[in-house]
């Protein structure tokens, strides 16, 4: 018997050898609205059928029922009915995603096999990040990415909204950020920005798929674009051999004050951390962002601030973390900020390797010592922007060379950092940086199938995870992904089923 193509792997599945539930034009899908909409959409995409919700003799029902962990759900499928219950709407939405993956076809038509299934997430924070700064990605692309991520039970969309190449969200308090500093991108490609209405639309769209938006304004480094809009806030670029090497390897001009940066180097820009005007800026941009963001987190970056004096970096991250906490939000910072005095509530995001190097694990442990938790984004496992292999057309290789699907899968969150155990881990996030990524097709190619590996690390019980099983299960998802128009990478490591 082939494995059921369920990703992330549910906590428990029993599949008796029994008559399946048939899906045809008279199948009724009823109950809680988000879940019925989600399943109806998958049924239509996968089968071409548009079930009639008012008449029929076989019913799928989504029903809230108390009991069980947040986001958990139960499903029973037999010949006569499909029943999904959950304590909350997110759980029912995830039940719909699971049912969508189970839809298959035999000689008699479309069906869902008989199963009894219980499921609940391992971690509360299950994220993907999209860098909309190196390349701008329009609203429709972001929505498509949300649909893809939510289908894998990911519940956080982290948007990297500012970097050296551009500022991507309009703010009334600092209008020049988008008027002056949003038109560029890596390689001289067109830039762009989200209006406040666009941002609200992303937040609402994500919420309808049970995803929380975590917005990031990266600082004090990664801020060349801020200097285009407000030159008085930014230091001049600091050149180094690294910056010169990147320019000669990948092309692009060296960073120049007042000129949009279109290259791929990092670590040359800094805000003026000793000027009070900078903290007025920080209060404005995060204050306005807090008002636009219903979710609990605001990310302030803090990574790779190589052009900021060490002592100044400490003062800066301390003050910014407090500004955000005073806004009633929980700050998140990349792990570099962990070695400094910061607001105790600050969550750390670890981007070192699966086997930590260079003391990055120490920085991550500091957040836990403060009493906060850590998000794991080990770069050589979950960075979706790495090449799959040396022949890949797009992607980077700095994270220990190319990242195969197997390497993206074969890591265990609680084993990455000594002293950071299950209860210290808020969750797992897979970032997609977009230096080499221009289109939704590029996003699909790099994200799929590795995003599914990250989703399984975030959702599934540790003891059920197994590469051979994952390999077979994602192979079985090919027909669904094809029907959904997802341009996944057809790795020769996977036996993609024809379905
Ligand atoms: C490192 S990891 C970065 C980004 C780059 C990325 C490319 C981290 C917090 N920063 O600035 O886009 O590598 O893979």
């Amino acid at each position: 018997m082939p494995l059921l193509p369920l990703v992330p792997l549910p906590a428990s599945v029993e599949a008796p050898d029994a008559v399946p539930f048939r899906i045809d034009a008279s199948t009724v899908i009823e109950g809680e609205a988000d879940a019925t909409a989600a399943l109806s959409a998958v049924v239509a995409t996968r089968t071409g059928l548009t079930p009639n919700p008012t008449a029929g003799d076989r019913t799928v029902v989504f029903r809230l029922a108390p009991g069980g962990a947040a986001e958990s759900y139960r499903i029973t499928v037999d010949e006569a009915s499909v029943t999904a219950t959950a304590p909350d709407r997110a759980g029912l939405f995830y039940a719909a995603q699971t049912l969508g993956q189970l839809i298959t076809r035999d000689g008699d038509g479309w069906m869902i096999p008989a199963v009894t299934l219980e499921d609940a997430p391992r971690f509360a924070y299950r994220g993907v990040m999209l860098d909309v700064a190196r390349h701008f990605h329009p609203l429709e692309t972001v929505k498509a990415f949300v649909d893809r991520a939510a289908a894998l039970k990911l519940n956080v969309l982290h948007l990297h909204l500012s970097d050296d190449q551009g500022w991507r969200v309009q703010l009334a308090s600092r209008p020049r950020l988008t008027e002056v500093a949003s038109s560029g991108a890596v390689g001289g490609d067109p830039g762009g920005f989200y209006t406040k209405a666009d941002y609200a639309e992303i937040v609402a769209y994500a919420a309808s798929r049970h995803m929380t938006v975590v917005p990031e304004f990266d600082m004090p480094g990664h801020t060349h674009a801020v200097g285009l809009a407000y030159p008085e806030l930014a230091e001049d670029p600091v050149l180094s051999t690294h910056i010169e090497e990147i320019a000669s390897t990948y092309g692009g001009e060296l960073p120049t004050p007042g000129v949009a940066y279109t290259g791929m180097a990092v670590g040359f820009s800094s805000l003026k951390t000793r000027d009070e005007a900078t903290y007025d800026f920080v209060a404005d941009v995060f204050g306005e962002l807090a008002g636009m963001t219903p979710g609990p987190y605001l990310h302030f970056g803090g990574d790779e601030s190589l052009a900021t004096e060490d002592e100044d970096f400490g003062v800066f991250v301390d003050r910014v973390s407090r500004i955000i906490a005073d806004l009633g939000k929980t700050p998140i910072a990349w792990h570099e900020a962990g070695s400094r005095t910061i607001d105790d509530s600050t969550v750390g995001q670890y981007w070192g390797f699966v086997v930590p190097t260079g003391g990055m694990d120490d920085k991550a442990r500091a957040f836990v010592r403060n009493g906060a938790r850590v998000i794991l984004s080990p770069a050589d496992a979950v960075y979706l922007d790495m090449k799959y292999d040396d022949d890949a057309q797009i992607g980077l290789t700095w994270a220990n060379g190319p990242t195969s699907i197997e390497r993206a899968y074969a890591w265990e969150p609680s084993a990455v950092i000594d002293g950071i155990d299950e209860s210290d881990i808020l969750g797992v996030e897979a970032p997609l940086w977009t230096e080499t990524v221009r289109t939704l097709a590029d996003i699909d190619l790099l994200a799929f199938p590795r995003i599914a590996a990250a989703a399984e690390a975030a959702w599934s019980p540790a003891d059920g995870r197994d590469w051979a099983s994952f390999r077979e299960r994602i192979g079985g998802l090919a027909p669904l992904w094809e029907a959904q128009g997802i341009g996944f990478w057809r790795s020769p490591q996977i036996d993609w089923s024809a379905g």
Side-chain angles (χ1 to χ4, degrees):
M1 263 277 282
L3 294 173
L4 294 170
L6 292 172
V7 181
L9 184 72
S12 89
V13 190
E14 278 171 50
D17 186 13
V19 182
F21 178 85
R22 292 279 157 202
I23 300 177
D24 60 27
S26 66
T27 305
V28 177
I29 301 176
E30 65 181 25
E32 198 278 322
D34 289 353
T36 51
L39 183 62
S40 302
V42 189
V43 168
T45 310
R46 179 79 167 96
T47 69
L49 296 165
T50 343
N52 172 354
T54 55
D57 49 7
R58 287 176 320 284
T59 303
V60 181
V61 62
F62 291 98
R63 193 160 34 82
L64 288 170
E71 305 179 292
S72 67
Y73 65 91
R74 292 160 184 256
I75 293 174
T76 317
V77 180
D78 60 28
E79 182 179 5
S81 64
V82 175
T83 306
T85 57
D88 53 30
R89 291 164 53 243
L92 290 177
F93 180 78
Y94 295 139
Q97 303 305 335
T98 296
L99 290 167
Q101 292 183 340
L102 286 171
I103 297 170
T104 187
R105 165 165 55 180
D106 64 9
D108 296 327
W110 295 102
M111 53 113 161
I112 299 177
V115 287
T116 310
L117 197 151
E118 286 183 25
D119 204 4
R122 177 174 177 190
F123 295 115
Y125 184 115
R126 304 179 304 278
V128 276
M129 191 204 81
L130 184 64
D131 169 9
V132 298
R134 270 52 176 273
H135 275 100
F136 179 69
H137 299 280
L139 208 54
E140 292 314 311
T141 301
V142 176
K143 289 183 179 177
F145 196 53
V146 164
D147 283 334
R148 285 150 167 69
L152 294 166
K153 305 186 176 76
L154 295 168
N155 65 357
V156 172
L157 174 69
H158 170 184
L159 288 175
H160 184 75
L161 289 167
S162 69
D163 213 299
D164 293 311
Q165 294 81 356
W167 188 282
R168 306 301 186 197
V169 70
Q170 181 187 43
L171 296 175
S173 59
R174 297 286 172 158
R176 288 176 57 82
L177 288 169
T178 47
E179 286 166 9
V180 177
S182 68
S183 57
V186 167
D189 288 324
F193 67 90
Y194 307 119
T195 64
K196 293 192 72 151
D198 292 339
Y199 182 84
E201 200 174 324
I202 293 171
V203 167
Y205 192 87
S208 72
R209 272 83 177 151
H210 298 278
M211 292 188 84
T212 300
V213 171
V214 173
E216 176 186 357
F217 293 148
D218 198 352
M219 53 184 73
H222 294 276
T223 46
H224 184 79
V226 175
L228 302 182
Y230 299 102
E232 66 279 13
L233 301 177
E235 304 285 3
D236 281 349
V238 175
L239 299 183
S240 64
T241 46
H242 158 75
I243 314 272
E244 280 153 13
E245 271 165 31
I246 296 285
S248 69
T249 313
Y250 296 99
E253 302 294 315
L254 291 172
T256 310
V259 177
Y261 181 64
T262 60
M264 291 176 31
V266 297
F268 57 82
S269 57
S270 182
L271 293 178
K272 289 193 175 167
T273 52
R274 295 182 184 193
D275 283 10
E276 278 312 301
T278 296
Y279 299 95
D280 295 341
F281 172 82
V282 170
D284 281 351
V285 299
F286 279 114
E288 195 169 343
L289 188 63
M292 294 158 65
T293 304
Y297 302 109
L298 299 182
H299 202 309
F300 68 94
D303 57 317
E304 301 171 321
S305 296
L306 309 176
T308 312
E309 289 296 333
D310 197 56
E311 190 187 332
D312 297 345
F313 178 74
V315 172
F316 183 84
V317 294
D318 191 19
R319 286 188 67 173
V320 175
S321 64
R322 285 169 214 284
I323 288 169
I324 292 172
D326 288 347
L327 290 165
K329 297 290 187 185
T330 301
I332 304 182
W334 297 104
H335 67 234
E336 283 94 323
S339 54
R340 311 309 171 106
T341 305
I342 43 172
D343 189 89
D344 281 346
S345 67
T346 308
V347 169
Q349 184 164 9
Y350 172 79
W351 61 272
F353 293 158
V354 167
V355 177
T357 55
M360 296 190 188
D361 49 339
D362 285 333
K363 293 177 181 163
R365 272 188 291 268
F367 294 92
V368 171
R369 269 202 305 278
N370 289 342
R373 291 197 282 175
V374 170
I375 297 161
L376 293 173
S377 300
D380 53 349
V382 300
Y383 265 35
L384 301 175
D385 60 310
M386 292 300 131
K387 289 186 173 185
Y388 289 98
D389 59 26
D390 289 319
D391 301 330
Q393 297 296 305
I394 55 172
L396 303 176
T397 53
W398 67 263
N400 268 334
T403 300
S404 67
I405 301 171
E406 181 169 3
R407 197 170 88 190
Y409 186 79
W411 68 286
E412 159 49 34
S414 64
V416 174
I417 301 173
D418 282 347
I420 296 193
D421 303 319
E422 193 80 9
S423 60
D424 306 316
I425 300 171
L426 183 59
V428 171
E429 181 181 297
L432 179 56
W433 303 97
T434 59
E435 287 92 337
T436 67
V437 176
R438 294 180 170 80
T439 62
L440 181 59
D442 292 347
I443 291 174
D444 277 353
L445 188 68
L446 285 175
F448 281 83
R450 289 181 297 196
I451 189 175
E456 188 148 310
W459 177 282
S460 304
D463 57 11
R465 296 185 55 224
D466 170 66
W467 162 242
S469 151
F470 178 74
R471 193 168 164 270
E472 180 175 338
R473 286 179 285 114
I474 49 170
L477 283 177
L480 175 61
W481 288 349
E482 278 162 7
Q484 291 172 327
I486 299 174
F488 60 95
W489 183 56
R490 292 183 165 274
S491 163
Q493 279 185 314
I494 309 296
D495 183 10
W496 300 105
S497 96

